[in-house]
Amino acid sequence: MSAVEALYIFDEHNNCILEHVWTGRPPAAKTLLPLYLAHSAPRPPLIYLPDTNPASLVHSMIQDRLLFLSPSSQENEPLLVLEFLHRVADAFEDFLGSPLLASKIESSYDVVAQLLGEMCDGGTIATTEPNALHDAVETPGWMNKLSGLVGLPGAPPSLSSSSTSFKPSLNPASSTPTIPWRRANVRHTSNEIYVDMVETLTVIMSPSGKPLCARANGTIAFTAKVSGIPDLLLGLTSSAGSKANLGRTMQLPVFHPCVRLARWKERPGELSFVPPDGRFVLAGYEVDLLGEDYLERAVATKGSSKTSTNLHLPLSVEMRTGLGVSGTEFEARLMLDTRFPGNANTSSGGSGPSARGSGGTSSSPQVDDILITIPVPSNVRNISDLRPSRGEAHYAPGDGALEWRIAGKAAAALVQGLNSSVGLGATLRCTVVGPLGEEDGEGIGGANLEVRGETWEYDEDTGGSAAPSSAEKTDVSSIQTEQRLQKKMTQNATLMPSSASVSFQVKGWLASGIKVERLVIDTQRSRGLGAGVTPYKGVKYLTVSRGGVEVRC
């Protein structure tokens, strides 16, 4: 059976700030850290250390510059321990605040000890849900915090949070929530439900313009501020239309424990659940934007112009290199397509959620935060004469990439200028400066050692040589100039960028076409909501690319 033996936390200076042992006799923190650091970076999250007695597996995680280590001398499920480390870090952030700092852990060890005791009991993972932890862990009240600020001793037991708490602690059974992920006796003055669907794009385009791969990683973030114990039903739909197609579209789905898996398997696209109180991640999924049979269709249509795909990218970049007289310039063309497929509002009567926010709704998506990153070869000394038609371009000698940013009013003006049609959005033209070295016609020490290629004719009658004619000199000079130009263009070809990546976000649209069809509350199963209470429901869609759309030259 999997068991978590110990937890060690180190700060950015490799000082141990927390050492907690649940079971067994694991190696001490001062013994474990040098063995872990002996491995070269980047270090994997699971490292085998045969030099310890007994041999141990070390599970590691880094968050907010803090190192979490958990040794194990028994056979464990690695993903279980790693997920537990992430749950511990999330619980610390929830109780101590974000970002997670070493000083917060050291000054709040009473809360930390309670959390570790509730989350793991004798090496067995127990309670890790935030709502259940809030019901079980006592935190210092405002009186103790105020006393600490003014330099006074802590509040007496009569004024502590444990005595002023109105939790029904006399009956242990009543203090334990029947639903582990939801707090007991939840009350809200304003009942609200929000759904945030976010998809992150990963697309690679070939130099010919054909997509090599295109995937979207989706997350359904849910915020429930509803009194009592609500039972919700979230219905999803896709551009394909049928539920079976939605089941094939959402690949590798993962769900929060509150989701009833039997309902999803029976009816793909329907999520039935009792939500935790507050914000949480309801589900995650992946989508192949090219389709499962894209490779087969590409092979079958080999030699044709293009293979048909349903891929729609609101932004793309076209790179042209080797421009100019000597091939020292390149140009990036930003192409926009604001004709978003399936951008109609999806709210259905009173049961559907409404779009949230003033800009970037499902009926009118909004493109913003455009950033084009162009990696530069290491032998480039500088990039001069940056000429963007819109936005701002920046490059400093020594940087690994050139950044061209179009945001705010510039992005809004760019989208409005297209009038919702496909066209050339903006251009950026640059001149590349190569490394310092031997120039044409310059030898060692800067002396002009050019070897002339002129031809001299010998005259037998005079015994001398005749100088070449002016026409011959012109032909030889043009040939030499052409040869030098070709050599320089060949050298400059190594200075050209080989790819470009695009970052952007689109509010009100998802690349996969998945949308919320309905969000209803099952009044028969729900308890404690109150008669006649109708929570406000809202939904947001967001597509994000953080350098995920890569175009190769």
Side-chain angles (χ1 to χ4, degrees):
M1 182 178 180
S2 299
V4 182
E5 297 182 1
L7 173 65
Y8 306 139
I9 302 180
F10 303 86
D11 61 9
E12 60 270 18
H13 304 294
N14 294 330
N15 298 320
C16 184
I17 60 175
L18 177 67
E19 186 172 357
H20 192 95
V21 178
W22 283 288
T23 183
R25 300 181 63 183
K30 61 181 180 180
T31 304
L32 193 66
L33 182 63
L35 299 175
Y36 171 80
L37 296 178
H39 289 72
S40 58
R43 301 175 182 88
L46 184 63
I47 297 178
Y48 176 66
L49 300 179
D51 297 334
T52 59
N53 187 19
S56 301
L57 284 171
V58 178
H59 308 79
S60 62
M61 183 197 72
I62 297 178
Q63 181 163 331
D64 293 335
R65 303 178 67 181
L66 298 182
L67 174 62
F68 291 69
L69 295 182
S70 178
S72 177
S73 59
Q74 302 177 0
E75 184 178 355
N76 276 340
E77 181 62 39
L79 293 179
L80 178 64
V81 181
L82 293 175
E83 176 64 20
F84 174 74
L85 294 180
H86 284 277
R87 293 290 184 98
V88 170
D90 293 342
F92 285 178
E93 280 192 347
D94 189 13
F95 279 81
L96 306 181
S98 179
L100 190 59
L101 303 177
S103 58
K104 295 180 180 179
I105 297 177
E106 292 176 335
S107 61
S108 304
Y109 186 73
D110 53 342
V111 178
V112 171
Q114 293 183 71
L115 286 173
L116 297 179
E118 292 290 339
M119 299 183 73
C120 187
D121 184 10
T124 303
I125 299 176
T127 304
T128 59
E129 291 295 332
N131 286 288
L133 290 174
H134 276 284
D135 283 342
V137 175
E138 296 289 346
T139 58
W142 64 270
M143 200 68 181
N144 288 342
K145 295 181 180 179
L146 180 61
S147 301
L149 291 176
V150 299
L152 298 177
S158 59
L159 296 178
S160 64
S161 60
S162 60
S163 60
T164 56
S165 175
F166 294 97
K167 297 177 183 178
S169 57
L170 297 179
N171 185 3
S174 62
S175 63
T176 303
T178 57
I179 303 176
W181 54 82
R182 186 171 180 84
R183 291 187 300 166
N185 302 321
V186 177
R187 291 291 181 268
H188 290 281
T189 55
S190 60
N191 294 280
E192 301 170 337
I193 302 175
Y194 299 118
V195 183
D196 295 295
M197 300 190 66
V198 182
E199 290 186 353
T200 303
L201 293 180
T202 302
V203 182
I204 299 179
M205 306 293 292
S206 65
S208 62
K210 294 183 179 180
L212 300 178
C213 70
R215 303 193 67 85
N217 295 312
T219 301
I220 304 177
F222 204 92
T223 303
K225 297 180 180 180
V226 182
S227 303
I229 304 178
D231 199 298
L232 306 181
L233 177 62
L234 178 66
L236 302 177
T237 184
S238 66
S239 56
S242 64
K243 299 293 185 181
N245 290 331
L246 178 62
R248 290 194 299 267
T249 301
M250 296 181 63
Q251 302 172 354
L252 304 176
V254 291
F255 302 102
H256 190 275
C258 67
V259 177
R260 300 182 178 96
L261 296 181
R263 180 67 174 268
W264 172 267
K265 293 179 181 179
E266 180 183 355
R267 302 177 183 177
E270 292 188 2
L271 296 174
S272 177
F273 58 97
V274 175
D277 183 52
R279 185 174 178 84
F280 67 100
V281 177
L282 178 63
Y285 58 91
E286 291 186 5
V287 177
D288 189 352
L289 301 178
L290 300 179
E292 299 178 354
D293 58 341
Y294 174 73
L295 293 179
E296 290 78 0
R297 289 186 285 111
V299 173
T301 58
K302 186 177 181 180
S304 62
S305 58
K306 283 188 178 181
T307 305
S308 61
T309 63
N310 295 326
L311 178 63
H312 173 81
L313 293 178
L315 295 177
S316 62
V317 173
E318 178 183 350
M319 296 293 298
R320 298 176 59 196
T321 59
L323 305 179
V325 178
S326 57
T328 58
E329 298 183 358
F330 68 88
E331 184 181 68
R333 295 185 176 183
L334 177 64
M335 311 294 293
L336 278 80
D337 186 359
T338 56
R339 298 178 301 178
F340 298 99
N343 60 348
N345 200 333
T346 57
S347 60
S348 56
S351 61
S354 59
R356 291 196 285 147
S358 57
T361 62
S362 58
S363 59
S364 179
Q366 176 182 346
V367 182
D368 200 2
D369 294 341
I370 304 172
L371 175 64
I372 296 90
T373 304
I374 304 176
V376 178
S378 58
N379 56 346
V380 172
R381 180 160 54 97
N382 195 5
I383 297 180
S384 61
D385 196 14
L386 280 71
R387 304 184 298 274
S389 62
R390 291 183 183 272
E392 298 179 353
H394 172 74
Y395 176 80
D399 291 349
L402 180 151
E403 291 188 351
W404 178 23
R405 186 180 299 275
I406 306 175
K409 296 181 179 180
L414 178 62
V415 176
Q416 292 177 0
L418 293 176
N419 294 324
S420 300
S421 62
V422 182
L424 178 62
T427 59
L428 170 65
R429 197 174 181 107
C430 306
T431 302
V432 177
V433 180
L436 290 173
E438 189 174 291
E439 299 292 340
D440 291 342
E442 183 178 340
I444 302 174
N448 191 355
L449 301 178
E450 180 181 357
V451 179
R452 299 184 181 276
E454 298 174 349
T455 303
W456 295 81
E457 297 179 358
Y458 180 75
D459 190 350
E460 295 181 356
D461 296 337
T462 60
S465 57
S469 61
S470 61
E472 291 174 342
K473 288 183 178 180
T474 303
D475 294 340
V476 172
S477 178
S478 62
I479 293 175
Q480 291 176 348
T481 304
E482 185 68 23
Q483 289 177 351
R484 288 197 298 267
L485 185 60
Q486 283 295 118
K487 180 180 179 180
K488 195 169 184 66
M489 293 184 68
T490 304
Q491 294 175 351
N492 292 332
T494 62
L495 306 176
M496 294 293 106
S498 59
S499 65
S501 60
V502 187
S503 302
F504 59 89
Q505 67 175 10
V506 182
K507 299 178 181 179
W509 175 76
L510 294 182
S512 64
I514 299 175
K515 289 191 175 183
V516 176
E517 183 181 24
R518 55 175 177 159
L519 176 59
V520 297
I521 298 180
D522 191 342
T523 55
Q524 296 181 354
R525 292 186 175 183
S526 301
R527 301 191 303 273
L529 180 60
V533 176
T534 303
Y536 174 80
K537 295 173 286 185
V539 63
K540 273 187 177 181
Y541 305 106
L542 179 63
T543 298
V544 181
S545 170
R546 293 289 179 259
V549 179
E550 179 183 350
V551 180
R552 297 178 179 176
C553 303

PDB file of all heavy atoms in Angstrom, residues 65-92:
ATOM      1  N   ARG A  65       9.706  28.952  -5.670  1.00  0.00           N
ATOM      2  CA  ARG A  65      11.122  28.846  -5.276  1.00  0.00           C
ATOM      3  C   ARG A  65      11.311  28.035  -4.006  1.00  0.00           C
ATOM      4  O   ARG A  65      12.384  28.080  -3.384  1.00  0.00           O
ATOM      5  CB  ARG A  65      11.753  30.231  -5.126  1.00  0.00           C
ATOM      6  CG  ARG A  65      11.657  31.075  -6.379  1.00  0.00           C
ATOM      7  CD  ARG A  65      12.243  32.436  -6.182  1.00  0.00           C
ATOM      8  NE  ARG A  65      13.699  32.351  -5.976  1.00  0.00           N
ATOM      9  CZ  ARG A  65      14.480  33.408  -5.756  1.00  0.00           C
ATOM     10  NH1 ARG A  65      13.928  34.615  -5.717  1.00  0.00           N
ATOM     11  NH2 ARG A  65      15.775  33.256  -5.575  1.00  0.00           N
ATOM     12  N   LEU A  66      10.319  27.276  -3.587  1.00  0.00           N
ATOM     13  CA  LEU A  66      10.432  26.363  -2.458  1.00  0.00           C
ATOM     14  C   LEU A  66      10.511  24.940  -2.985  1.00  0.00           C
ATOM     15  O   LEU A  66       9.767  24.558  -3.890  1.00  0.00           O
ATOM     16  CB  LEU A  66       9.238  26.504  -1.506  1.00  0.00           C
ATOM     17  CG  LEU A  66       9.055  27.859  -0.832  1.00  0.00           C
ATOM     18  CD1 LEU A  66       7.859  27.813   0.107  1.00  0.00           C
ATOM     19  CD2 LEU A  66      10.299  28.286  -0.078  1.00  0.00           C
ATOM     20  N   LEU A  67      11.409  24.150  -2.403  1.00  0.00           N
ATOM     21  CA  LEU A  67      11.628  22.773  -2.836  1.00  0.00           C
ATOM     22  C   LEU A  67      10.922  21.826  -1.876  1.00  0.00           C
ATOM     23  O   LEU A  67      11.179  21.842  -0.663  1.00  0.00           O
ATOM     24  CB  LEU A  67      13.130  22.470  -2.881  1.00  0.00           C
ATOM     25  CG  LEU A  67      13.531  21.024  -3.183  1.00  0.00           C
ATOM     26  CD1 LEU A  67      13.038  20.602  -4.565  1.00  0.00           C
ATOM     27  CD2 LEU A  67      15.036  20.843  -3.054  1.00  0.00           C
ATOM     28  N   PHE A  68      10.023  20.991  -2.415  1.00  0.00           N
ATOM     29  CA  PHE A  68       9.305  19.978  -1.651  1.00  0.00           C
ATOM     30  C   PHE A  68       9.925  18.617  -1.978  1.00  0.00           C
ATOM     31  O   PHE A  68       9.972  18.224  -3.149  1.00  0.00           O
ATOM     32  CB  PHE A  68       7.820  19.964  -2.001  1.00  0.00           C
ATOM     33  CG  PHE A  68       7.051  21.172  -1.548  1.00  0.00           C
ATOM     34  CD1 PHE A  68       7.258  22.411  -2.136  1.00  0.00           C
ATOM     35  CD2 PHE A  68       6.124  21.074  -0.524  1.00  0.00           C
ATOM     36  CE1 PHE A  68       6.555  23.528  -1.726  1.00  0.00           C
ATOM     37  CE2 PHE A  68       5.415  22.182  -0.100  1.00  0.00           C
ATOM     38  CZ  PHE A  68       5.633  23.412  -0.700  1.00  0.00           C
ATOM     39  N   LEU A  69      10.370  17.894  -0.932  1.00  0.00           N
ATOM     40  CA  LEU A  69      10.937  16.550  -1.101  1.00  0.00           C
ATOM     41  C   LEU A  69      10.173  15.578  -0.214  1.00  0.00           C
ATOM     42  O   LEU A  69       9.864  15.888   0.951  1.00  0.00           O
ATOM     43  CB  LEU A  69      12.416  16.519  -0.731  1.00  0.00           C
ATOM     44  CG  LEU A  69      13.387  17.335  -1.587  1.00  0.00           C
ATOM     45  CD1 LEU A  69      14.810  17.144  -1.098  1.00  0.00           C
ATOM     46  CD2 LEU A  69      13.276  16.954  -3.049  1.00  0.00           C
ATOM     47  N   SER A  70       9.894  14.411  -0.788  1.00  0.00           N
ATOM     48  CA  SER A  70       9.224  13.354  -0.036  1.00  0.00           C
ATOM     49  C   SER A  70       9.923  12.030  -0.338  1.00  0.00           C
ATOM     50  O   SER A  70       9.770  11.489  -1.431  1.00  0.00           O
ATOM     51  CB  SER A  70       7.738  13.276  -0.405  1.00  0.00           C
ATOM     52  OG  SER A  70       7.111  12.212   0.292  1.00  0.00           O
ATOM     53  N   PRO A  71      10.720  11.485   0.611  1.00  0.00           N
ATOM     54  CA  PRO A  71      11.402  10.208   0.364  1.00  0.00           C
ATOM     55  C   PRO A  71      10.477   9.027   0.636  1.00  0.00           C
ATOM     56  O   PRO A  71       9.526   9.111   1.430  1.00  0.00           O
ATOM     57  CB  PRO A  71      12.562  10.240   1.355  1.00  0.00           C
ATOM     58  CG  PRO A  71      12.048  11.064   2.494  1.00  0.00           C
ATOM     59  CD  PRO A  71      11.115  12.082   1.901  1.00  0.00           C
ATOM     60  N   SER A  72      10.779   7.934  -0.017  1.00  0.00           N
ATOM     61  CA  SER A  72       9.995   6.716   0.161  1.00  0.00           C
ATOM     62  C   SER A  72      10.921   5.523   0.018  1.00  0.00           C
ATOM     63  O   SER A  72      11.604   5.379  -1.005  1.00  0.00           O
ATOM     64  CB  SER A  72       8.860   6.646  -0.862  1.00  0.00           C
ATOM     65  OG  SER A  72       8.144   5.434  -0.732  1.00  0.00           O
ATOM     66  N   SER A  73      10.952   4.666   1.032  1.00  0.00           N
ATOM     67  CA  SER A  73      11.770   3.455   0.994  1.00  0.00           C
ATOM     68  C   SER A  73      10.978   2.235   0.580  1.00  0.00           C
ATOM     69  O   SER A  73      11.535   1.142   0.470  1.00  0.00           O
ATOM     70  CB  SER A  73      12.401   3.212   2.374  1.00  0.00           C
ATOM     71  OG  SER A  73      11.390   3.073   3.364  1.00  0.00           O
ATOM     72  N   GLN A  74       9.677   2.387   0.335  1.00  0.00           N
ATOM     73  CA  GLN A  74       8.830   1.287  -0.091  1.00  0.00           C
ATOM     74  C   GLN A  74       8.342   1.537  -1.507  1.00  0.00           C
ATOM     75  O   GLN A  74       8.485   2.633  -2.058  1.00  0.00           O
ATOM     76  CB  GLN A  74       7.633   1.128   0.858  1.00  0.00           C
ATOM     77  CG  GLN A  74       8.012   0.890   2.301  1.00  0.00           C
ATOM     78  CD  GLN A  74       6.806   0.812   3.204  1.00  0.00           C
ATOM     79  OE1 GLN A  74       5.669   0.927   2.748  1.00  0.00           O
ATOM     80  NE2 GLN A  74       7.038   0.616   4.501  1.00  0.00           N
ATOM     81  N   GLU A  75       7.754   0.511  -2.075  1.00  0.00           N
ATOM     82  CA  GLU A  75       7.206   0.627  -3.424  1.00  0.00           C
ATOM     83  C   GLU A  75       5.899   1.418  -3.365  1.00  0.00           C
ATOM     84  O   GLU A  75       4.935   1.009  -2.718  1.00  0.00           O
ATOM     85  CB  GLU A  75       6.970  -0.749  -4.030  1.00  0.00           C
ATOM     86  CG  GLU A  75       6.489  -0.707  -5.461  1.00  0.00           C
ATOM     87  CD  GLU A  75       6.312  -2.077  -6.060  1.00  0.00           C
ATOM     88  OE1 GLU A  75       6.661  -3.064  -5.373  1.00  0.00           O
ATOM     89  OE2 GLU A  75       5.827  -2.176  -7.197  1.00  0.00           O
ATOM     90  N   ASN A  76       5.878   2.560  -4.065  1.00  0.00           N
ATOM     91  CA  ASN A  76       4.735   3.460  -4.037  1.00  0.00           C
ATOM     92  C   ASN A  76       4.266   3.754  -5.445  1.00  0.00           C
ATOM     93  O   ASN A  76       4.948   3.458  -6.438  1.00  0.00           O
ATOM     94  CB  ASN A  76       5.094   4.783  -3.343  1.00  0.00           C
ATOM     95  CG  ASN A  76       4.961   4.687  -1.836  1.00  0.00           C
ATOM     96  OD1 ASN A  76       4.280   3.810  -1.320  1.00  0.00           O
ATOM     97  ND2 ASN A  76       5.634   5.571  -1.130  1.00  0.00           N
ATOM     98  N   GLU A  77       3.095   4.372  -5.514  1.00  0.00           N
ATOM     99  CA  GLU A  77       2.595   4.899  -6.779  1.00  0.00           C
ATOM    100  C   GLU A  77       3.136   6.316  -6.919  1.00  0.00           C
ATOM    101  O   GLU A  77       2.725   7.214  -6.177  1.00  0.00           O
ATOM    102  CB  GLU A  77       1.069   4.906  -6.782  1.00  0.00           C
ATOM    103  CG  GLU A  77       0.455   5.416  -8.074  1.00  0.00           C
ATOM    104  CD  GLU A  77       0.798   4.564  -9.271  1.00  0.00           C
ATOM    105  OE1 GLU A  77       0.829   3.326  -9.134  1.00  0.00           O
ATOM    106  OE2 GLU A  77       1.055   5.161 -10.349  1.00  0.00           O
ATOM    107  N   PRO A  78       4.068   6.565  -7.854  1.00  0.00           N
ATOM    108  CA  PRO A  78       4.710   7.894  -7.906  1.00  0.00           C
ATOM    109  C   PRO A  78       3.728   9.033  -8.131  1.00  0.00           C
ATOM    110  O   PRO A  78       3.850  10.092  -7.499  1.00  0.00           O
ATOM    111  CB  PRO A  78       5.704   7.752  -9.074  1.00  0.00           C
ATOM    112  CG  PRO A  78       5.927   6.284  -9.220  1.00  0.00           C
ATOM    113  CD  PRO A  78       4.637   5.645  -8.834  1.00  0.00           C
ATOM    114  N   LEU A  79       2.748   8.838  -9.019  1.00  0.00           N
ATOM    115  CA  LEU A  79       1.810   9.919  -9.305  1.00  0.00           C
ATOM    116  C   LEU A  79       0.976  10.275  -8.079  1.00  0.00           C
ATOM    117  O   LEU A  79       0.583  11.433  -7.909  1.00  0.00           O
ATOM    118  CB  LEU A  79       0.898   9.527 -10.469  1.00  0.00           C
ATOM    119  CG  LEU A  79       1.575   9.380 -11.830  1.00  0.00           C
ATOM    120  CD1 LEU A  79       0.557   8.977 -12.887  1.00  0.00           C
ATOM    121  CD2 LEU A  79       2.269  10.669 -12.240  1.00  0.00           C
ATOM    122  N   LEU A  80       0.717   9.295  -7.221  1.00  0.00           N
ATOM    123  CA  LEU A  80      -0.064   9.566  -6.014  1.00  0.00           C
ATOM    124  C   LEU A  80       0.713  10.493  -5.071  1.00  0.00           C
ATOM    125  O   LEU A  80       0.158  11.458  -4.531  1.00  0.00           O
ATOM    126  CB  LEU A  80      -0.408   8.255  -5.311  1.00  0.00           C
ATOM    127  CG  LEU A  80      -1.193   8.375  -4.005  1.00  0.00           C
ATOM    128  CD1 LEU A  80      -2.570   8.967  -4.260  1.00  0.00           C
ATOM    129  CD2 LEU A  80      -1.308   7.019  -3.324  1.00  0.00           C
ATOM    130  N   VAL A  81       2.001  10.223  -4.882  1.00  0.00           N
ATOM    131  CA  VAL A  81       2.807  11.053  -3.992  1.00  0.00           C
ATOM    132  C   VAL A  81       3.014  12.444  -4.590  1.00  0.00           C
ATOM    133  O   VAL A  81       2.955  13.458  -3.885  1.00  0.00           O
ATOM    134  CB  VAL A  81       4.153  10.367  -3.702  1.00  0.00           C
ATOM    135  CG1 VAL A  81       4.994  11.212  -2.750  1.00  0.00           C
ATOM    136  CG2 VAL A  81       3.931   8.979  -3.124  1.00  0.00           C
ATOM    137  N   LEU A  82       3.268  12.515  -5.891  1.00  0.00           N
ATOM    138  CA  LEU A  82       3.457  13.821  -6.526  1.00  0.00           C
ATOM    139  C   LEU A  82       2.188  14.655  -6.462  1.00  0.00           C
ATOM    140  O   LEU A  82       2.239  15.868  -6.219  1.00  0.00           O
ATOM    141  CB  LEU A  82       3.902  13.626  -7.979  1.00  0.00           C
ATOM    142  CG  LEU A  82       5.292  13.019  -8.177  1.00  0.00           C
ATOM    143  CD1 LEU A  82       5.556  12.774  -9.659  1.00  0.00           C
ATOM    144  CD2 LEU A  82       6.373  13.923  -7.595  1.00  0.00           C
ATOM    145  N   GLU A  83       1.040  14.025  -6.666  1.00  0.00           N
ATOM    146  CA  GLU A  83      -0.220  14.759  -6.545  1.00  0.00           C
ATOM    147  C   GLU A  83      -0.439  15.223  -5.107  1.00  0.00           C
ATOM    148  O   GLU A  83      -0.963  16.316  -4.868  1.00  0.00           O
ATOM    149  CB  GLU A  83      -1.377  13.868  -6.998  1.00  0.00           C
ATOM    150  CG  GLU A  83      -2.758  14.480  -6.844  1.00  0.00           C
ATOM    151  CD  GLU A  83      -2.959  15.705  -7.721  1.00  0.00           C
ATOM    152  OE1 GLU A  83      -2.212  15.865  -8.714  1.00  0.00           O
ATOM    153  OE2 GLU A  83      -3.871  16.499  -7.411  1.00  0.00           O
ATOM    154  N   PHE A  84      -0.014  14.414  -4.155  1.00  0.00           N
ATOM    155  CA  PHE A  84      -0.136  14.821  -2.758  1.00  0.00           C
ATOM    156  C   PHE A  84       0.722  16.054  -2.470  1.00  0.00           C
ATOM    157  O   PHE A  84       0.295  16.955  -1.733  1.00  0.00           O
ATOM    158  CB  PHE A  84       0.274  13.657  -1.847  1.00  0.00           C
ATOM    159  CG  PHE A  84       0.312  14.013  -0.394  1.00  0.00           C
ATOM    160  CD1 PHE A  84      -0.855  14.188   0.332  1.00  0.00           C
ATOM    161  CD2 PHE A  84       1.527  14.182   0.263  1.00  0.00           C
ATOM    162  CE1 PHE A  84      -0.825  14.527   1.672  1.00  0.00           C
ATOM    163  CE2 PHE A  84       1.573  14.517   1.606  1.00  0.00           C
ATOM    164  CZ  PHE A  84       0.399  14.687   2.312  1.00  0.00           C
ATOM    165  N   LEU A  85       1.923  16.117  -3.024  1.00  0.00           N
ATOM    166  CA  LEU A  85       2.762  17.297  -2.833  1.00  0.00           C
ATOM    167  C   LEU A  85       2.100  18.545  -3.405  1.00  0.00           C
ATOM    168  O   LEU A  85       2.152  19.626  -2.795  1.00  0.00           O
ATOM    169  CB  LEU A  85       4.129  17.076  -3.486  1.00  0.00           C
ATOM    170  CG  LEU A  85       5.019  15.989  -2.862  1.00  0.00           C
ATOM    171  CD1 LEU A  85       6.342  15.899  -3.619  1.00  0.00           C
ATOM    172  CD2 LEU A  85       5.269  16.259  -1.386  1.00  0.00           C
ATOM    173  N   HIS A  86       1.469  18.418  -4.563  1.00  0.00           N
ATOM    174  CA  HIS A  86       0.763  19.561  -5.142  1.00  0.00           C
ATOM    175  C   HIS A  86      -0.424  19.962  -4.257  1.00  0.00           C
ATOM    176  O   HIS A  86      -0.700  21.164  -4.098  1.00  0.00           O
ATOM    177  CB  HIS A  86       0.284  19.220  -6.548  1.00  0.00           C
ATOM    178  CG  HIS A  86       1.374  19.245  -7.579  1.00  0.00           C
ATOM    179  ND1 HIS A  86       1.790  20.410  -8.184  1.00  0.00           N
ATOM    180  CD2 HIS A  86       2.137  18.264  -8.110  1.00  0.00           C
ATOM    181  CE1 HIS A  86       2.765  20.148  -9.042  1.00  0.00           C
ATOM    182  NE2 HIS A  86       2.987  18.842  -9.023  1.00  0.00           N
ATOM    183  N   ARG A  87      -1.126  18.972  -3.690  1.00  0.00           N
ATOM    184  CA  ARG A  87      -2.248  19.298  -2.809  1.00  0.00           C
ATOM    185  C   ARG A  87      -1.756  20.015  -1.549  1.00  0.00           C
ATOM    186  O   ARG A  87      -2.425  20.941  -1.049  1.00  0.00           O
ATOM    187  CB  ARG A  87      -2.993  18.018  -2.424  1.00  0.00           C
ATOM    188  CG  ARG A  87      -3.721  17.326  -3.573  1.00  0.00           C
ATOM    189  CD  ARG A  87      -4.917  18.101  -4.032  1.00  0.00           C
ATOM    190  NE  ARG A  87      -5.657  17.394  -5.068  1.00  0.00           N
ATOM    191  CZ  ARG A  87      -6.745  16.662  -4.835  1.00  0.00           C
ATOM    192  NH1 ARG A  87      -7.204  16.525  -3.601  1.00  0.00           N
ATOM    193  NH2 ARG A  87      -7.366  16.058  -5.829  1.00  0.00           N
ATOM    194  N   VAL A  88      -0.606  19.607  -1.026  1.00  0.00           N
ATOM    195  CA  VAL A  88      -0.056  20.271   0.160  1.00  0.00           C
ATOM    196  C   VAL A  88       0.292  21.723  -0.157  1.00  0.00           C
ATOM    197  O   VAL A  88      -0.029  22.642   0.613  1.00  0.00           O
ATOM    198  CB  VAL A  88       1.182  19.506   0.666  1.00  0.00           C
ATOM    199  CG1 VAL A  88       1.906  20.312   1.735  1.00  0.00           C
ATOM    200  CG2 VAL A  88       0.786  18.153   1.222  1.00  0.00           C
ATOM    201  N   ALA A  89       0.930  21.954  -1.301  1.00  0.00           N
ATOM    202  CA  ALA A  89       1.276  23.328  -1.679  1.00  0.00           C
ATOM    203  C   ALA A  89       0.026  24.177  -1.882  1.00  0.00           C
ATOM    204  O   ALA A  89      -0.011  25.350  -1.469  1.00  0.00           O
ATOM    205  CB  ALA A  89       2.129  23.312  -2.945  1.00  0.00           C
ATOM    206  N   ASP A  90      -1.003  23.609  -2.500  1.00  0.00           N
ATOM    207  CA  ASP A  90      -2.247  24.356  -2.697  1.00  0.00           C
ATOM    208  C   ASP A  90      -2.918  24.669  -1.360  1.00  0.00           C
ATOM    209  O   ASP A  90      -3.479  25.765  -1.182  1.00  0.00           O
ATOM    210  CB  ASP A  90      -3.206  23.553  -3.587  1.00  0.00           C
ATOM    211  CG  ASP A  90      -2.689  23.419  -5.009  1.00  0.00           C
ATOM    212  OD1 ASP A  90      -1.805  24.210  -5.397  1.00  0.00           O
ATOM    213  OD2 ASP A  90      -3.149  22.509  -5.726  1.00  0.00           O
ATOM    214  N   ALA A  91      -2.882  23.722  -0.437  1.00  0.00           N
ATOM    215  CA  ALA A  91      -3.482  23.970   0.887  1.00  0.00           C
ATOM    216  C   ALA A  91      -2.716  25.052   1.638  1.00  0.00           C
ATOM    217  O   ALA A  91      -3.319  25.909   2.313  1.00  0.00           O
ATOM    218  CB  ALA A  91      -3.510  22.676   1.693  1.00  0.00           C
ATOM    219  N   PHE A  92      -1.392  25.049   1.539  1.00  0.00           N
ATOM    220  CA  PHE A  92      -0.599  26.101   2.189  1.00  0.00           C
ATOM    221  C   PHE A  92      -0.933  27.474   1.610  1.00  0.00           C
ATOM    222  O   PHE A  92      -1.053  28.459   2.350  1.00  0.00           O
ATOM    223  CB  PHE A  92       0.884  25.810   2.025  1.00  0.00           C
ATOM    224  CG  PHE A  92       1.397  24.703   2.912  1.00  0.00           C
ATOM    225  CD1 PHE A  92       2.721  24.288   2.856  1.00  0.00           C
ATOM    226  CD2 PHE A  92       0.561  24.061   3.809  1.00  0.00           C
ATOM    227  CE1 PHE A  92       3.192  23.281   3.676  1.00  0.00           C
ATOM    228  CE2 PHE A  92       1.016  23.040   4.625  1.00  0.00           C
ATOM    229  CZ  PHE A  92       2.340  22.653   4.558  1.00  0.00           C
TER     230      PHE A  92
END
